């Protein structure tokens, strides 16, 4: 079965292209997650700082 799939992949360049596009798109999606992470961390830090200030005032 695996050998048939390998032969099919070699015989069908469109399938190879589609598989590469899928891999690139999933890679792009994970990169976007990492790009959004600093913003999320800054927001969390700001909230923690606000809570700390509130506690210091009390």
């Amino acid at each position: 079965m695996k050998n048939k799939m390998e032969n099919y992949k070699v015989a069908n360049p469109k399938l190879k292209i589609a598989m590469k596009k899928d891999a690139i798109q999933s890679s792009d999606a994970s990169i976007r997650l990492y790009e959004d992470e600093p913003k999320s961390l800054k927001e969390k830090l700001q909230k923690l700082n606000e809570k700390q200030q509130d506690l210091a005032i009390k």
Side-chain angles (χ1 to χ4, degrees):
M1 181 73 175
K2 186 175 180 181
N3 195 17
K4 286 183 180 181
M5 283 300 293
E6 290 298 321
N7 289 339
Y8 183 70
K9 289 179 187 176
V10 171
N12 191 347
K14 288 183 181 179
L15 177 63
K16 282 180 144 181
I17 292 170
M19 290 172 65
K20 287 181 181 179
K21 281 184 179 179
D22 287 344
I24 290 170
Q25 287 175 345
S26 65
S27 176
D28 286 348
S30 62
I31 288 171
R32 277 189 227 111
L33 290 175
Y34 286 115
E35 288 175 344
D36 292 340
E37 190 173 7
K39 181 180 178 184
S40 172
L41 291 174
K42 284 181 183 178
E43 290 172 354
K44 288 179 182 179
L45 181 62
Q46 183 178 5
K47 288 179 183 178
L48 285 173
N49 285 337
E50 289 172 0
K51 286 182 182 179
Q52 185 180 14
Q53 290 175 355
D54 288 345
L55 290 173
I57 292 172
K58 292 179 181 180

